[in-house]
Amino acid sequence: MANKKKTTIKDIANVLGITPSAVSKALNDHPRISDKTKAAVLQIAKNLDYQPNHLASALRKGKSNLVGVIIPKANSHFFSSIIEKIEDVLNAKGYNVIIAQSNESYEKECKSIDALLYTQVDGIIASMANETVKLDYYEKIKSKGIPLILFDRGENDLNVDYVGIDDYLSSQMVIEHLVAQGCKRIAHIAGFSHTRIYKNRIRGYRDALEKFGLPIEDSLIVESNLRIEDGRKIMKQLLELKDRPDAVYAAGDYAALGALQIMQEHNIDVPNDIALVGFSNEPFTSLVTPSLSSVEQHSEQIGQIAAETLLKRIETNNKNVSLNKLILQPELIKRASSRKLQ
Amino acid sequence: MANKKKTTIKDIANVLGITPSAVSKALNDHPRISDKTKAAVLQIAKNLDYQPNHLASALRKGKSNLVGVIIPKANSHFFSSIIEKIEDVLNAKGYNVIIAQSNESYEKECKSIDALLYTQVDGIIASMANETVKLDYYEKIKSKGIPLILFDRGENDLNVDYVGIDDYLSSQMVIEHLVAQGCKRIAHIAGFSHTRIYKNRIRGYRDALEKFGLPIEDSLIVESNLRIEDGRKIMKQLLELKDRPDAVYAAGDYAALGALQIMQEHNIDVPNDIALVGFSNEPFTSLVTPSLSSVEQHSEQIGQIAAETLLKRIETNNKNVSLNKLILQPELIKRASSRKLQ
DNA sequence: TACATTTGTTTCAACGTTTGAACAAAAATA
DNA sequence: TATTTTTGTTCAAACGTTGAAACAAATGTA
């Protein structure tokens, strides 16, 4: 119960009658230390249940071996699987991961950044909150020379490494698929266009419609936070149009789910009356009825690449490596909600 | 780009012609430092963009102001909202939170514990992996004198603070409700009985059945990991029984969802042929059709209490406070999946 | 034998902050 | 005026680890 005093390098040194510095070197497998001493040190370390003091070594080395990850919300398969992968990669290299949730709030995001900087993380991997427009806090990270990698929700202006999917292409694929199903009036439940990824999805949607000679109407494009309630509200709006859409492409699965609910409440046949496609391929998409078509973003890959890119930055002291923008191919998962012609 | 040298307390001291120690005291609002000096220090600190070196102060003070949280998986509303609350409470007190996911794996859990100990966290809040049976690593935490709080998935034998709901009572409430709906053969898709909470849910289920004079049959109780696929597999089994149940109580929402899928695939009317109740009140429960009845666990409260209890432990140096086992009241949310008599 | 090299270890300062003790000056008390 | 108390600061050591430089001993080379 009582906090026993911890074993230090010095204790080991005393037992063996050598200096702490020799012990330190033995533990770090320094080439100039004899195998005999190394073995002895290891033995005593084990006997005394020695645990290195990370704080002391971090201070001395000027490196905390801590990495911060900022995400909007862990509560989605997309982000939680990215985190899992990031942890895998970084843990293997001796780094620990601190996760901070912004809850889509700019203020919380700033606080998290401050907290991470204060904790002296060696690097930060982040996906920006929906709310975030000002980039001052991210500039702060950069100005301190701390490696920063963005994923999914990034900003070009920041000029930092980025991993994400080709959002423009995603929209193209979705529209192409819906057109193939015979849809002619396709609405878009969009994310806020001030966020790059959502802007690109909107662009892709518009360009694809144009390519297929379909109408582009402002009433068919509604921006929101893409939560379930947003999907519900917007779908209601869409149903009130005198000229209803025959397909809905939502830039997020939760919004798509909300839309689906409303359609079911209105006894609309999905996909035959209105087809529906979501985004992110959250696990629930395959579970609802009808199952939801969605865009798979290969989250594990994103996590892996983000982590590896960060490691490279850290190892090269954030220099010499040219800017890395990695855009992965999305994959459209076609399910019942958009398959009219069986 | 280049890592500029960071401002230290010494730099401020030099500018003002006082000692680092005075600066330190000024920054910490020491009573013996004059207001004039404090103001001056604060001003210069701002000018030089001084950021305290957390590592140094942590080393000196023997306190990292880091708290570890171990959860099976962030990918559920239950855990992610608990984390959110824990962060709220701890951040407000100057602590940072390191989150580690065990992914329900004992091995990963052990690794996480080691990593947290290595990072010198001041305390750990944890919910155990399904797999975990041996408690050696948790004992390790205890033996180091680091405060440990368990929530949801805890173990009585560990003799540490605990926050969770009354699982036994939850089952009682569920069964009572199902009986009121006229159900007479109630199956239980259970969690593994080696985990305390699931054992208690099973006990509550059995005792309630007995209380109402209903049959307790081993074929109606199946233990699993409670994932969607487990729910599907078990539901299939249950449907193959020559005497099918008229209600299913699943100890987790995902398992319930899997069961629901299978029933829908078999054109079974839920709730009229078979009623269904889940556990955790995940957001999707209100979104599927029919909406899923479930047990609300008041996750925010759990998070809040866990964090506050940990703070108390840390502040009192893990002594003097008597053991704290807090059992919250569950709440049964009755939805369409179990409402036979409209 | 004389000298250079290698090997294994010690010495010492440093990382940036904190803290108790010491001290001088100022203010309060007698 | 002499003495105590208070106020504001400095001093010095410490937290545990690391790494460059110094050093001695052992080994190798000419």
Side-chain angles (χ1 to χ4, degrees):
Chain A
M1 190 100 335
N3 267 22
K4 342 177 166 181
K5 225 176 30 263
K6 283 178 196 143
T7 308
T8 75
I9 237 172
K10 217 171 157 182
D11 299 322
I12 302 179
N14 287 338
V15 172
L16 290 171
I18 58 179
T19 60
S21 149
V23 175
S24 167
K25 289 183 173 109
L27 291 171
N28 290 304
D29 205 26
H30 188 110
R32 292 278 276 276
I33 296 289
S34 70
D35 290 346
K36 206 186 81 209
T37 314
K38 281 179 188 168
V41 166
L42 250 38
Q43 183 57 53
I44 303 295
K46 185 170 253 175
N47 291 353
L48 299 182
D49 189 27
Y50 167 74
Q51 296 287 135
N53 185 327
H54 160 255
L55 260 21
S57 98
L59 172 62
R60 175 64 229 244
K61 298 205 278 200
K63 196 158 169 305
S64 68
N65 274 46
L66 250 31
V67 166
V69 177
I70 302 176
I71 51 168
K73 201 102 177 64
N75 179 17
S76 76
H77 176 72
F78 177 65
F79 285 117
S80 86
S81 65
I82 286 183
I83 288 181
E84 200 178 319
K85 200 70 194 176
I86 290 178
E87 280 185 330
D88 276 3
V89 174
L90 293 182
N91 288 345
K93 292 283 186 174
Y95 290 87
N96 257 343
V97 174
I98 301 184
I99 299 165
Q101 300 187 66
S102 68
N103 291 320
E104 304 287 10
S105 141
Y106 171 69
E107 196 196 358
K108 179 83 202 302
E109 193 173 65
C110 296
K111 272 195 203 165
S112 298
I113 291 177
D114 274 340
L116 291 177
L117 292 177
Y118 175 68
T119 316
Q120 321 268 109
V121 292
D122 291 338
I124 293 180
I125 300 177
S127 187
M128 293 163 73
N130 257 336
E131 250 185 57
T132 302
V133 185
K134 285 207 300 184
L135 303 176
D136 50 343
Y137 270 73
Y138 284 100
E139 292 290 357
K140 193 167 160 184
I141 299 174
K142 277 185 66 183
S143 76
K144 290 203 184 298
I146 293 171
L148 169 64
I149 315 285
L150 293 178
F151 68 94
D152 192 45
R153 313 246 200 94
E155 258 313 325
N156 256 324
D157 304 349
L158 264 170
N159 254 324
V160 294
D161 295 331
Y162 173 83
V163 199
I165 58 155
D166 188 335
D167 289 287
Y168 183 83
L169 178 61
S170 304
S171 288
Q172 302 253 11
M173 291 166 66
V174 170
I175 300 304
E176 193 161 335
H177 163 64
L178 288 172
V179 167
Q181 304 297 308
C183 302
K184 301 217 176 327
R185 259 182 89 70
I186 306 175
H188 183 30
I189 301 182
F192 287 116
S193 57
H194 60 69
T195 306
R196 208 182 44 73
I197 60 169
Y198 297 125
K199 189 166 61 196
N200 286 341
R201 288 180 202 172
I202 294 171
R203 263 202 320 121
Y205 159 81
R206 283 175 175 276
D207 289 2
L209 288 190
E210 200 179 335
K211 177 172 141 200
F212 290 111
L214 296 178
I216 302 174
E217 286 176 31
D218 284 348
S219 61
L220 292 182
I221 310 177
V222 192
E223 298 181 10
S224 76
N225 268 317
L226 297 175
R227 292 162 305 183
I228 289 171
E229 52 267 39
D230 301 309
R232 293 180 62 99
K233 211 187 72 197
I234 295 168
M235 194 64 222
K236 272 185 207 161
Q237 273 173 237
L238 292 173
L239 291 182
E240 277 162 11
L241 293 177
K242 65 173 184 295
D243 204 359
R244 283 186 180 176
D246 58 6
V248 172
Y249 160 39
D253 281 331
Y254 285 96
L257 185 59
L260 179 61
Q261 286 173 21
I262 292 296
M263 290 197 268
Q264 288 179 333
E265 286 168 19
H266 286 72
N267 288 316
I268 291 171
D269 179 348
V270 179
N272 295 314
D273 295 342
I274 302 181
L276 180 63
V277 176
F279 209 107
S280 277
N281 201 25
E282 288 288 328
F284 74 78
T285 54
S286 65
L287 309 173
V288 291
T289 317
S291 58
L292 250 176
S293 299
S294 195
V295 177
E296 165 64 43
Q297 305 185 76
H298 304 295
S299 41
E300 294 83 5
Q301 261 194 69
I302 293 184
Q304 168 122 20
I305 293 170
E308 285 170 350
T309 311
L310 181 69
L311 280 175
K312 219 175 289 169
R313 285 272 169 211
I314 293 178
E315 280 161 10
T316 60
N317 205 13
N318 207 11
K319 301 180 200 147
N320 293 335
V321 187
S322 58
L323 210 56
N324 229 324
K325 302 257 178 202
L326 203 44
I327 310 300
L328 304 176
Q329 287 284 321
E331 186 184 350
L332 176 60
I333 312 291
K334 297 169 191 164
R335 297 203 183 87
S337 73
S338 68
R339 257 199 301 248
K340 290 197 183 189
L341 338 156
Q342 205 76 13
Chain B
M1 190 100 332
N3 267 23
K4 343 180 166 179
K5 228 180 21 272
K6 282 179 199 144
T7 308
T8 75
I9 238 172
K10 219 171 155 182
D11 299 322
I12 302 179
N14 286 339
V15 172
L16 289 172
I18 56 178
T19 59
S21 136
V23 174
S24 168
K25 285 177 175 136
L27 289 171
N28 289 305
D29 206 24
H30 188 109
R32 292 279 277 273
I33 296 290
S34 69
D35 290 346
K36 206 184 83 208
T37 315
K38 281 178 188 167
V41 166
L42 249 40
Q43 182 58 52
I44 303 295
K46 186 169 253 176
N47 292 352
L48 299 182
D49 189 27
Y50 168 74
Q51 296 287 136
N53 186 327
H54 160 255
L55 257 25
S57 91
L59 171 60
R60 176 62 230 247
K61 298 205 279 200
K63 194 160 171 302
S64 68
N65 274 44
L66 251 30
V67 166
V69 177
I70 302 175
I71 52 169
K73 201 105 176 61
N75 180 16
S76 77
H77 175 73
F78 177 65
F79 284 118
S80 87
S81 64
I82 286 183
I83 287 182
E84 201 179 318
K85 199 72 194 176
I86 291 178
E87 280 186 330
D88 276 2
V89 174
L90 293 182
N91 288 345
K93 292 284 187 177
Y95 288 87
N96 258 344
V97 174
I98 301 184
I99 299 166
Q101 302 186 69
S102 67
N103 292 321
E104 303 288 10
S105 141
Y106 171 69
E107 196 196 356
K108 178 81 200 301
E109 192 173 66
C110 296
K111 272 193 200 166
S112 298
I113 291 177
D114 273 339
L116 292 177
L117 292 177
Y118 175 67
T119 316
Q120 320 266 110
V121 292
D122 292 337
I124 292 179
I125 300 177
S127 187
M128 293 163 74
N130 257 335
E131 251 186 55
T132 303
V133 186
K134 284 207 302 186
L135 302 176
D136 49 344
Y137 271 74
Y138 285 99
E139 292 289 357
K140 193 168 161 185
I141 300 175
K142 277 184 66 182
S143 77
K144 290 202 184 299
I146 292 172
L148 170 64
I149 316 286
L150 293 177
F151 69 93
D152 192 45
R153 314 246 199 93
E155 259 312 329
N156 258 323
D157 303 349
L158 263 172
N159 253 324
V160 295
D161 296 330
Y162 174 83
V163 198
I165 58 156
D166 187 335
D167 290 287
Y168 183 82
L169 177 60
S170 303
S171 289
Q172 302 253 12
M173 289 166 65
V174 170
I175 302 304
E176 192 162 334
H177 162 65
L178 288 172
V179 168
Q181 304 296 310
C183 303
K184 302 216 171 332
R185 259 181 89 70
I186 305 175
H188 183 30
I189 301 181
F192 287 117
S193 56
H194 60 68
T195 307
R196 208 183 43 75
I197 61 169
Y198 297 124
K199 189 168 61 197
N200 286 340
R201 289 181 200 171
I202 294 170
R203 264 204 316 122
Y205 158 82
R206 284 175 174 277
D207 289 1
L209 288 189
E210 200 180 337
K211 177 173 140 202
F212 290 111
L214 296 178
I216 303 175
E217 287 176 32
D218 283 348
S219 60
L220 293 182
I221 309 178
V222 192
E223 297 181 12
S224 77
N225 269 317
L226 296 175
R227 292 162 306 183
I228 290 171
E229 52 266 39
D230 300 309
R232 292 181 63 100
K233 210 186 74 198
I234 294 168
M235 193 66 222
K236 273 186 207 159
Q237 274 174 238
L238 291 173
L239 291 182
E240 278 162 11
L241 293 177
K242 65 173 186 295
D243 204 359
R244 282 185 179 177
D246 58 7
V248 173
Y249 159 40
D253 281 330
Y254 285 97
L257 185 59
L260 179 61
Q261 285 171 23
I262 293 295
M263 291 198 266
Q264 287 179 333
E265 287 168 19
H266 285 71
N267 288 316
I268 289 171
D269 179 349
V270 179
N272 294 313
D273 294 345
I274 302 181
L276 179 62
V277 176
F279 209 106
S280 278
N281 200 25
E282 287 287 328
F284 73 77
T285 53
S286 64
L287 307 174
V288 291
T289 316
S291 59
L292 250 175
S293 301
S294 194
V295 177
E296 164 65 42
Q297 304 185 77
H298 304 295
S299 41
E300 294 84 6
Q301 260 193 69
I302 293 184
Q304 168 121 19
I305 294 170
E308 286 170 352
T309 311
L310 180 68
L311 281 176
K312 218 175 292 170
R313 285 272 170 212
I314 293 178
E315 281 161 10
T316 59
N317 206 13
N318 208 10
K319 300 178 200 147
N320 294 334
V321 187
S322 58
L323 209 57
N324 228 324
K325 303 255 180 203
L326 202 45
I327 310 299
L328 304 177
Q329 286 284 323
E331 183 184 351
L332 176 59
I333 312 290
K334 297 168 190 164
R335 296 204 184 85
S337 72
S338 69
R339 257 199 300 250
K340 290 198 185 188
L341 335 155
Q342 204 77 14

